[in-house]
Structure formats: structure tokens, C-alpha cells
Amino acid sequence: MNVKLSILFVLLCGFFHLNEAQTTDCSNTCMLRARCSPYYKDLVWAIVDRVCRVFQNGCIFGNENCMRVNQCLPPMVATSKEECMQEPYCPRWCSRGGPPVCAWFPYTHSNGTTGGRDMAFGSRCGLDMYACRNAQAYVNEPRIGRCD
Ligand SMILES: *[C@@H]1O[C@H](CO)[C@@H](O)[C@H](O)[C@H]1NC(C)=O
């Protein structure tokens, strides 16, 4: 092998090695998926990608973190409501635009009956703003588009 060829070889090996590192498979890192009640309300607050997110309870928060880890994303860290409610994490208004979303909010009446309702928002920002301003958690990923 001449020198040029062996340099090319070393470079190619380095390239494939880097490529491998970028496509790391995290899919089985977390196997702890629990069954969570969406009605049990014990809110967990977390700032995720500079957005204040509200989770209905620690079980749901834990499952979300499990899914994040399996996508090679860093786990979310719970924070206080006061910290989360600050600008710009929980904004007072959202600019127009973005696809409309439909989110499911669970509730428990004082007589113990549980249920949930779909609520429509003009954007994901509007949904997260409603959730943090009103301390109401939606459960599951919101659906893109209008509510049926
Ligand atoms: C519980 O309260 C809700 C809302 O006030 C009412 O619609 C529902 O009929 C009640 N259910 C029972 C079983 O009392």
C-alpha cells in the first residue's frame, strides 16, 4: 500500500467511526415504562427546550423521560412552579402561526368522577402557554390539526 492510499484508508476509517457515533441507538436504554393514571394530579414542572412544560404527575413525567432517553435526548429536570412560570418559559402571548393542535386534558370532579376533554389551540406555543398559565396538564402528545 502506498502512503497516499493508507492515508485515505485512515481518513475513511475515521469518517465511518464518526458516523457510527452520530447514529447511536439508544432505543433500549430505558425499559422502565409504568402504567400511569392520567387523572391523579400532582403536577411536575420542567423547562424543556426553553418552554415551561406541565406534567400531570411524576409517573407520567418519568415515562416521558424514559422515552427521551431512548431517543438519545437528555432527561428533563423538574423545577419549581415559580421558576417555570417566568418569562420566557411561560410566555404571556404567542405569535400567530404554527399548525393548530388538539390536546387532551384529564379532569376529576369533586364527586370523584373522572373524564377528559379535547381542547383546540392555534399553535403548540398557545397550548403550552394555556397549560402553564392555568396549571393544567395535557396528557399524551398533542395531535397536529383541529379537534374532531
Ligand atoms: C359528578 O359531578 C359532575 C359535575 O358536577 C356531574 O356531571 C356528574 O353527573 C356527577 N356524577 C355523579 C355520579 O354524581
Side-chain angles (χ1 to χ4, degrees):
M1 216 191 269
N2 67 30
V3 176
K4 273 187 182 168
L5 212 68
S6 51
I7 288 174
L8 182 68
F9 185 72
V10 167
L11 285 175
L12 277 177
C13 284
F15 176 76
F16 283 118
H17 199 79
L18 273 175
N19 236 19
E20 200 182 313
Q22 280 163 357
T23 57
T24 304
D25 181 14
C26 302
S27 54
N28 290 317
T29 312
C30 174
M31 316 269 248
L32 279 171
R33 295 290 302 282
R35 285 181 69 90
C36 304
S37 167
Y39 305 110
Y40 171 63
K41 185 173 180 176
D42 183 15
L43 296 183
V44 177
W45 302 76
I47 297 164
V48 186
D49 300 328
R50 295 181 61 78
V51 174
C52 175
R53 291 286 316 275
V54 191
F55 297 88
Q56 180 76 336
N57 54 54
C59 181
I60 289 172
F61 181 71
N63 273 356
E64 289 282 334
N65 260 346
C66 194
M67 284 190 277
R68 281 178 68 86
V69 168
N70 287 345
Q71 293 164 27
C72 302
L73 293 169
M76 305 176 288
V77 179
T79 187
S80 66
K81 178 183 181 181
E82 291 70 32
E83 186 76 25
C84 212
M85 287 288 291
Q86 288 175 348
E87 302 264 4
Y89 315 120
C90 183
R92 287 174 197 285
W93 62 279
C94 289
S95 54
R96 281 170 162 276
V101 293
C102 180
W104 187 75
F105 287 80
Y107 59 74
T108 304
H109 288 303
S110 48
N111 62 16
T113 55
T114 56
R117 61 171 162 269
D118 280 330
M119 288 181 71
F121 297 88
S123 67
R124 179 72 188 246
C125 176
L127 164 61
D128 283 315
M129 180 175 71
Y130 174 86
C132 62
R133 291 266 151 228
N134 298 288
Q136 296 283 330
Y138 56 88
V139 172
N140 303 324
E141 264 302 291
R143 303 189 296 281
I144 304 291
R146 297 167 198 286
C147 297
D148 297 325

